[in-house]
């Protein structure tokens, strides 16, 4: 059998649909964020990055960089294996204590990424709690969906951000069944924020556990960066908070925070934790430094919010349609996969602007978009350049403008 022909056939169909993904060859340079060096194929030279999940530029922060370098000098590079085999490094323990404090929880547990922490934790909870039912928001991330699927627990999908539908679905389940309500705070593609208080009240009404993904909120919201749950004063009512170290904190890794018993349960039964090499100590040290800094400093968050408001105002002035939402994510809607890819390529080639087109299956067909994430390190001139470029392309591509 010609397996390569089977692979190629499906890849060709992906190209024909306009959904084939091409990686930008970018070189981040220390101290230059959001500027990066592009090494083709669209352009060779400096570009301004507009879609990074390093939301606050903490991957470039001198305190974070120094913490990583100091830990390398002290510990070397890798962790040497899983924590069961190679032991727990002091930097792992300090980071978990920092995270538990961030969310006001008894304990926290590290994973190698936010994807793994969701997949491993949900699959463990669903498979190890007899008769468990996981109620999943309709727009939950792929990592949550995969974890639920792998658990083989009963899954119930409730309408996105709809507490009334959740209430109806919970009411239909046996009272004695362990129920887990899984949802996100900030949804990364539309940038909307869940009605957290209402969801928590419904879950408590039915005795359900709450599993909250805060990956696009930690570091960014709340007085210490604890996410939407901290901002709304609800963290103590959430059973498990899951987050990442690879977005606003600018490093790498994922985690869950909750009671000591909950974290020990996942640590003891999760294959995604037991059999995975631990984070390098230097990565853990850098993440701890980033979290500690953002607990004390609100400067980065406030400046980012000003940049978000400035970009939205510029887009509105030119009639460029973008989804209204209360978060830091600005989705500019195109609605066509080919045009979405084309506009992204022209922005890169002619204007030195890098933004990744978001097409199916990340978003539904017909809702293709460019997803902009202004950071504190983008300047007013960067925003003016981006808005001007988009306005010209909107005219050239005959795209509809929003009425003023």
């Amino acid at each position: 059998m010609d397996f390569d022909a089977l692979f190629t056939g499906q890849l060709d169909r992906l190209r024909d649909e306009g959904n084939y993904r091409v990686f930008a060859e970018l070189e981040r340079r220390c101290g230059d964020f959001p500027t990066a060096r592009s090494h083709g194929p669209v352009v060779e030279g400096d570009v301004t990055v507009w879609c990074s999940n390093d939301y606050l530029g903490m991957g470039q922060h001198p305190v974070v960089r120094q913490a990583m370098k100091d830990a390398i000098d002290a510990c070397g590079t890798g962790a040497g294996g899983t924590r069961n085999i190679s032991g727990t490094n002091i930097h792992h323990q300090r980071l978990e204590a920092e995270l538990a404090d961030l969310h006001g929880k008894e304990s926290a547990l590290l994973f190698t990424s936010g994807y793994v922490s969701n997949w491993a934790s949900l699959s463990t909870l669903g498979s190890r709690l007899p008769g468990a039912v996981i109620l999943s928001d309709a727009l939950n991330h792929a990592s949550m969906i995969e974890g639920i699927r792998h658990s083989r627990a009963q899954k119930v999908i409730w309408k996105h951000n709809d507490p009334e539908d959740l209430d109806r679905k919970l009411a239909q389940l046996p009272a004695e069944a362990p129920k887990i309500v899984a949802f996100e705070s900030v949804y990364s593609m539309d940038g909307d924020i869940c009605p957290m208080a209402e969801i928590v009240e419904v879950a408590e009404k039915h005795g359900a556990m709450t599993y909250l993904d805060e990956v696009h909120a930690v570091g960014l919201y709340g007085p210490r960066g604890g996410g939407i749950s901290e901002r709304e004063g609800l963290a103590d009512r959430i059973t498990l908070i899951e987050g990442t170290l690879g977005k606003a904190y600018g490093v790498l890794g994922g985690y869950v925070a909750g009671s000591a018993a909950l974290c020990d349960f996942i640590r003891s039964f999760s294959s995604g934790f037991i059999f995975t090499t631990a984070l390098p100590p230097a990565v853990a040290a850098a993440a701890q430094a980033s979290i500690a800094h953002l607990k004390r400093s609100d400067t980065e968050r406030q400046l980012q919010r000003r940049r978000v408001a400035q970009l939205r105002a510029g887009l509105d002035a030119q009639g460029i349609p973008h989804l209204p939402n209360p978060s830091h994510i600005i989705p500019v809607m195109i609605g066509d996969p080919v045009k979405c890819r084309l506009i992204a390529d022209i922005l890169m080639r002619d204007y030195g602007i890098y933004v990744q087109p978001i097409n199916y299956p990340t978003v539904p067909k017909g809702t293709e978009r460019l997803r902009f994430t202004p950071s504190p390190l983008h300047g007013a001139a960067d925003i003016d350049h981006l808005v001007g470029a988009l306005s010209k392309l909107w005219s050239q591509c005959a795209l509809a403008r929003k009425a003023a």
Side-chain angles (χ1 to χ4, degrees):
M1 180 174 287
D2 188 347
F3 286 100
D4 277 354
L6 297 175
F7 303 149
T8 302
Q10 293 198 36
L11 289 170
D12 287 343
R13 283 196 292 274
L14 203 60
R15 290 185 180 94
D16 292 341
E17 294 166 355
N19 291 322
Y20 182 74
R21 297 168 191 246
V22 179
F23 290 156
E25 298 176 20
L26 297 182
E27 179 185 355
R28 284 162 63 98
R29 292 196 303 257
C30 189
D32 281 347
F33 186 79
T35 301
R37 181 77 180 177
S38 171
H39 295 288
V42 178
V43 67
E44 183 77 26
D46 286 354
V47 297
T48 302
V49 178
W50 273 102
C51 55
S52 175
N53 283 345
D54 187 357
Y55 291 131
L56 299 177
M58 293 301 293
Q60 307 281 326
H61 198 284
V63 169
V64 179
R65 287 162 33 210
Q66 191 62 50
M68 181 175 282
K69 287 187 280 190
D70 289 346
I72 289 174
D73 290 342
C75 304
T77 54
T82 70
R83 288 166 74 176
N84 296 292
I85 291 173
S86 295
T88 287
N89 189 279
I90 186 64
H91 293 295
H92 297 138
Q93 294 176 317
R94 289 173 178 168
L95 176 54
E96 286 174 339
E98 194 81 67
L99 289 164
D101 174 77
L102 175 68
H103 295 295
K105 298 297 185 185
E106 291 179 339
S107 188
L109 185 67
L110 289 173
F111 291 87
T112 51
S113 73
Y115 191 104
V116 173
S117 57
N118 264 335
W119 175 86
S121 300
L122 280 167
S123 64
T124 301
L125 291 167
S127 63
R128 299 290 308 189
L129 297 177
V133 181
I134 303 178
L135 297 100
S136 178
D137 184 285
L139 293 188
N140 274 344
H141 189 263
S143 58
M144 302 174 79
I145 295 168
E146 286 295 325
I148 296 167
R149 181 181 296 131
H150 188 261
S151 76
R152 298 186 179 179
Q154 180 184 348
K155 177 179 71 174
V156 176
I157 297 175
W158 48 286
K159 294 177 184 177
H160 176 55
N161 280 348
D162 188 337
E164 292 182 0
D165 189 55
L166 174 62
D167 190 19
R168 287 190 293 269
K169 299 286 174 58
L170 281 165
Q172 294 168 2
L173 297 173
E176 68 278 6
K179 294 173 277 290
I180 303 168
V181 174
F183 61 108
E184 302 180 36
S185 57
V186 178
Y187 287 82
S188 64
M189 288 300 112
D190 288 351
D192 53 331
I193 296 177
C194 75
M196 192 176 296
E198 292 89 338
I199 292 171
V200 170
E201 288 168 6
V202 168
E204 289 175 344
K205 171 184 171 182
H206 295 275
M209 170 183 170
T210 41
Y211 183 110
L212 172 64
D213 177 317
E214 286 259 43
V215 296
H216 291 278
V218 289
L220 297 165
Y221 300 92
R224 301 194 310 157
I228 301 298
S229 56
E230 182 192 31
R231 188 187 75 178
E232 301 300 316
L234 294 167
D236 62 319
R237 295 168 64 185
I238 304 289
T239 315
L240 181 151
I241 296 174
E242 185 267 349
T244 184
L245 307 170
K247 292 183 170 61
Y249 293 123
V251 193
L252 175 72
Y255 66 89
V256 294
S259 69
L262 172 58
C263 292
D264 196 25
F265 178 82
I266 296 172
R267 181 191 71 86
S268 298
F269 293 112
S270 170
S271 62
F273 175 84
I274 295 169
F275 298 108
T276 300
T277 298
L279 284 176
V283 171
Q288 185 201 350
S290 184
I291 295 164
H293 174 83
L294 289 174
K295 282 180 178 177
R296 300 186 300 268
S297 174
D298 199 40
T299 302
E300 294 83 1
R301 287 187 284 271
Q302 291 300 327
L303 184 53
Q304 185 213 36
R305 287 166 196 163
R306 288 202 293 274
R307 296 295 183 239
V308 169
Q310 288 166 0
L311 179 53
R312 285 194 181 277
L315 295 173
D316 286 339
Q318 295 299 321
I320 306 297
H322 56 99
L323 287 183
N325 64 55
S327 78
H328 58 285
I329 295 165
I330 304 178
V332 170
M333 307 307 291
I334 308 294
D336 178 276
V338 176
K339 285 186 177 181
C340 200
R341 174 81 263 174
L342 175 66
I343 290 173
D345 286 347
I346 296 173
L347 285 170
M348 185 88 148
R349 184 192 68 211
D350 296 347
Y351 297 95
I353 291 168
Y354 171 63
V355 60
Q356 185 67 16
I358 307 295
N359 291 348
Y360 178 84
T362 305
V363 295
K365 292 180 180 179
T367 69
E368 293 81 10
R369 67 200 63 185
L370 303 174
R371 177 182 176 273
F372 294 95
T373 54
S375 79
L377 301 178
H378 287 92
D382 295 323
I383 293 172
D384 290 343
H385 180 57
L386 171 61
V387 171
L390 286 172
S391 183
K392 291 177 184 176
L393 289 176
W394 236 250
S395 297
Q396 292 173 15
C397 296
L399 293 169
R401 294 184 187 256
K402 185 173 62 174

